[in-house]
């Protein structure tokens, strides 16, 4: 999977928006969706930039803790435990050889996946 896809999946799977952005309680309902969308977009951009520029050695060595610290030092603003979970997910997904094909009529994403089985 591409690093962008890995990051998007990790955000979807591991981001707890209430923990990461506790000020959402104070926002008016009309601003909530826009604020959260902007936060997630900025988070994804920050992660892509940090990982593409500084994270390659950690991805190659499958070092989630090193990748986590690198992202935090690069300015990604997440609680460290959540960032570490996301880094584990990114590394797991990065090892999968999968490509997005299309969304089917029901809206489910279809991927091409290459698997190796040990017999």
């Amino acid at each position: 999977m591409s690093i962008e896809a890995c990051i998007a999946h990790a955000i979807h799977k591991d981001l707890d928006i209430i923990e990461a952005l506790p000020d959402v309680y104070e926002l008016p309902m009309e601003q909530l969706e826009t604020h959260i969308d902007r936060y997630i977009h900025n988070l994804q951009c920050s992660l892509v930039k940090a990982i593409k520029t500084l994270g390659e050695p950690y991805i190659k060595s499958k070092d989630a803790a090193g990748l986590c610290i690198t992202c935090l030092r690069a300015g990604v603003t997440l609680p460290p435990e959540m960032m570490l979970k996301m880094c584990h997910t990114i590394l797991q997904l990065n090892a999968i050889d999968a490509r997005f094909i299309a969304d089917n009529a029901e809206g489910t994403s279809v991927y091409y996946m290459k698997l190796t089985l040990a017999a």
Side-chain angles (χ1 to χ4, degrees):
M1 288 184 126
S2 71
I3 197 66
E4 291 85 355
C6 294
I7 291 168
H9 282 283
I11 289 172
H12 179 73
K13 180 180 177 275
D14 299 321
L15 179 66
D16 179 350
I17 198 68
I18 301 299
E19 185 180 346
L21 200 60
D23 66 334
V24 295
Y25 286 116
E26 301 167 7
L27 290 174
M29 189 61 79
E30 306 82 40
Q31 296 176 3
L32 195 58
E33 182 178 2
T34 307
H35 187 71
I36 291 172
D37 284 346
R38 190 173 333 137
Y39 175 79
I40 291 172
H41 175 76
N42 291 339
L43 175 62
Q44 184 160 359
C45 290
S46 298
L47 282 169
V48 168
K49 182 180 178 188
I51 292 172
K52 280 190 166 187
T53 58
L54 305 168
E56 187 176 341
Y58 304 103
I59 289 177
K60 285 183 178 178
S61 65
K62 299 186 185 326
D63 180 5
L67 186 61
C68 174
I69 291 170
T70 299
C71 290
L72 292 172
R73 286 184 181 162
V76 177
T77 55
L78 279 177
E81 299 83 19
M82 191 181 311
M83 184 75 245
L84 183 58
K85 261 175 84 173
M86 290 176 80
C87 288
H88 279 289
T89 300
I90 290 166
L91 292 178
Q92 288 170 351
L93 293 172
N94 189 59
I96 296 173
D97 185 9
R99 287 179 202 78
F100 175 75
I101 303 298
D103 288 331
N104 65 13
E106 293 84 37
T108 304
S109 297
V110 178
Y111 287 87
Y112 163 81
M113 253 177 106
K114 181 179 177 183
L115 298 174
T116 304
L117 299 175

